[in-house]
Amino acid sequence: MYDVVTADLDNPEHASAVLTVLNAYASDPMGGGEPLSAYTQKNLIASLKKRSNMYTILAFSGQEPIGIALCFEGFSTFACKPLLNIHDFAVVPAYRGQGVGTQLLARVKQLARNLGCCKITLE
């Protein structure tokens, strides 16, 4: 089992972990094969903190950040209820196939229940 936490972007360790995992994801062929731009690395955390409908879940192995689920709350007009959209979902290559993604999804499901969401979507 790995530690899976809801990120606090005011916590420098969590903010750094978000950038570390997203940069690894962006650099991977599945993420486009290019690291995050210097602009994005400099401004992403401050920009995310401005959004009240954003939730980030991080997975750690000890102190090492190994996974992320970055979600935004949306709204279902058909159900007239909130929904939770998984915008970014990644596990660093060395930890794939070890249940990290399953743990992240379990935390996303719990968050969606707590928010009263009618469904979870994946971008």
Side-chain angles (χ1 to χ4, degrees), residues 24-88:
Y25 174 41
S27 298
D28 190 271
M30 288 190 302
E34 297 285 331
L36 298 174
S37 71
Y39 172 84
T40 298
Q41 291 188 47
K42 180 180 178 185
N43 294 289
L44 181 61
I45 298 302
S47 294
L48 288 173
K49 287 167 62 172
K50 292 178 185 177
R51 281 142 182 83
S52 61
N53 65 340
M54 188 277 309
Y55 303 91
T56 303
I57 299 167
L58 293 167
F60 290 89
S61 177
Q63 298 298 316
E64 181 183 3
I66 60 170
I68 192 167
L70 199 147
C71 307
F72 291 91
E73 185 179 319
F75 189 77
S76 168
T77 53
F78 289 179
C80 193
K81 292 184 178 183
L83 60 84
L84 194 61
N85 175 259
I86 302 170
H87 183 74
D88 292 303

Side-chain angles (χ1 to χ4, degrees), residues 110-122:
Q110 186 59 52
L111 173 62
R113 281 188 204 101
N114 292 348
L115 294 171
C117 294
C118 64
K119 64 181 172 180
I120 298 168
T121 61
L122 175 63

